[in-house]
Amino acid sequence: MTTTTDPIWLRHVEGFGEVLIRPVAPTTDVDLIHDWVTRDRARFWGMRDASREQVREIYSYVDSLATHHAYLIHRDGRPVGLFQTYEPAADPVGACYQVQPGDFGIHLMVAPPDGGVEPGFTGAVLAAFLEFVLADPTRRRIVAEPDARNDRAIARLVRAGFVPGPQIDLPDKRAQLLFLDR
């Protein structure tokens, strides 16, 4: 269980700013996360109808797992994204494809734009997130499984180097598997 909201990763990204990643604190961060996941733009996150208490319970549960983790990513002190990592063998996705040693799963949601759209913003957030994930040399392949209808997320991941795999049926969605080899 997470006991700190201290940063676990901090980098200056040239032309973007200071990027800080820290674990989600379910009780402290619930208002922010609830606001983000219940917006229409987050419909593929699957929590649009969740109450504030349900969001807190979900992230408290994630926080209790050794195989799944949730993080907030900040830019220059302002939260700009929510992401989760998981071990595919300990997740329903692992029953849908042949998990390889070194596979590591991700989910990423970029925060609602604050002050308008900024070209390159999502790419910079994704690049920082992937640098954080790949800092562990045991992670040899990154697995993503966005909703198959989420064309924007799929296209963004492909632009970042992910290769599409098969579509799979998960308990809550039809998903597009994508893989990024180290």
Side-chain angles (χ1 to χ4, degrees), residues 7-13 17-21 74 76 131-132:
I8 58 171
W9 194 83
L10 180 64
R11 297 284 186 282
H12 178 77
V13 177
E18 184 178 83
V19 177
L20 176 146
I21 295 175
H74 294 72
D76 296 331
E131 184 181 341
F132 165 75

Side-chain angles (χ1 to χ4, degrees), residues 80-140:
V80 295
L82 170 67
F83 70 90
Q84 294 170 212
T85 62
Y86 63 92
E87 295 174 19
D91 190 86
V93 73
C96 298
Y97 84 101
Q98 188 165 347
V99 176
Q100 297 178 11
D103 278 2
F104 195 72
I106 63 165
H107 300 289
L108 171 67
M109 180 175 59
V110 175
D114 183 18
V117 176
E118 180 183 336
F121 183 84
T122 300
V125 171
L126 178 59
F129 169 49
L130 290 174
E131 184 181 341
F132 165 75
V133 169
L134 290 170
D136 181 337
T138 67
R139 298 173 183 160
R140 299 193 332 222

Side-chain angles (χ1 to χ4, degrees), residues 7-112:
I8 58 171
W9 194 83
L10 180 64
R11 297 284 186 282
H12 178 77
V13 177
E14 191 65 37
F16 188 69
E18 184 178 83
V19 177
L20 176 146
I21 295 175
R22 69 162 175 84
V24 163
T27 301
T28 307
D29 296 326
V30 67
D31 291 331
L32 174 71
I33 295 171
H34 180 260
D35 176 48
W36 289 356
V37 302
T38 57
R39 293 185 185 211
D40 183 58
R41 68 184 306 279
R43 65 191 168 280
F44 295 117
W45 199 254
M47 297 175 69
R48 285 215 44 235
D49 296 324
S51 69
R52 184 182 176 284
E53 182 58 24
Q54 287 170 317
V55 169
R56 189 195 60 72
E57 287 173 3
I58 288 166
Y59 283 94
S60 291
Y61 174 71
V62 170
D63 191 44
S64 75
L65 300 172
T67 56
H68 292 62
H69 304 284
Y71 303 93
L72 282 174
I73 188 167
H74 294 72
R75 174 195 189 192
D76 296 331
R78 183 175 62 91
V80 295
L82 170 67
F83 70 90
Q84 294 170 212
T85 62
Y86 63 92
E87 295 174 19
D91 190 86
V93 73
C96 298
Y97 84 101
Q98 188 165 347
V99 176
Q100 297 178 11
D103 278 2
F104 195 72
I106 63 165
H107 300 289
L108 171 67
M109 180 175 59
V110 175

Side-chain angles (χ1 to χ4, degrees), residues 140-164:
R140 299 193 332 222
R141 185 169 73 160
I142 306 302
V143 179
E145 27 71 36
D147 190 295
R149 299 168 296 167
N150 193 343
D151 295 330
R152 291 179 70 188
I154 293 166
R156 182 71 214 118
L157 290 166
V158 168
R159 283 194 309 273
F162 282 79
V163 175

